[in-house]
Amino acid sequence: MTKKELVKKISAATGYDQKAAMKAMNIAISEIRSCVERGESVYLRGFGTFELKHRAAKRARDIKGRRTIVVPEHEVPTFRPCADFKEAVR
């Protein structure tokens, strides 16, 4: 499903026009992104948690160059689904 298809479904379910549904979707995505960028987690009950995780530096293998490289420590955005969501997907 694409973002546009999701907006169409939200529009049909709520009775709002697609422009309003797209605006609401964009605001929600923007707020989730800005919270995670600041290091805050976003918990949506019944869906899951968006958060920033720290990855420590590690050694890895460069297959093409056939050498060992060091991947520096960094932060990565993650999504952890809640138990209800996991159970529904099974």
Side-chain angles (χ1 to χ4, degrees):
M1 176 179 286
T2 65
K3 183 177 175 182
K4 189 173 182 178
E5 292 169 340
L6 182 58
V7 166
K8 283 182 182 179
K9 288 188 180 253
I10 292 171
S11 176
T14 62
Y16 294 123
D17 62 3
Q18 288 186 22
K19 284 185 180 182
M22 179 63 84
K23 185 175 181 179
M25 172 76 75
N26 287 335
I27 290 170
I29 291 170
S30 175
E31 285 301 312
I32 291 170
R33 179 180 289 167
S34 64
C35 284
V36 172
E37 285 175 354
R38 289 191 306 266
E40 301 172 15
S41 64
V42 178
Y43 172 67
L44 302 174
R45 186 179 301 274
F47 188 63
T49 303
F50 296 91
E51 58 191 352
L52 201 57
K53 291 235 178 174
H54 178 77
R55 297 281 190 237
K58 64 179 181 179
R59 289 189 296 168
R61 187 85 177 135
D62 178 11
I63 296 173
K64 288 185 179 179
R66 294 187 175 162
R67 60 188 172 101
T68 302
I69 59 173
V70 175
V71 178
E73 64 180 42
H74 58 283
E75 306 288 329
V76 292
T78 60
F79 173 72
R80 189 179 63 223
C82 72
D84 293 340
F85 184 45
K86 286 181 186 177
E87 192 61 36
V89 174
R90 289 183 189 179

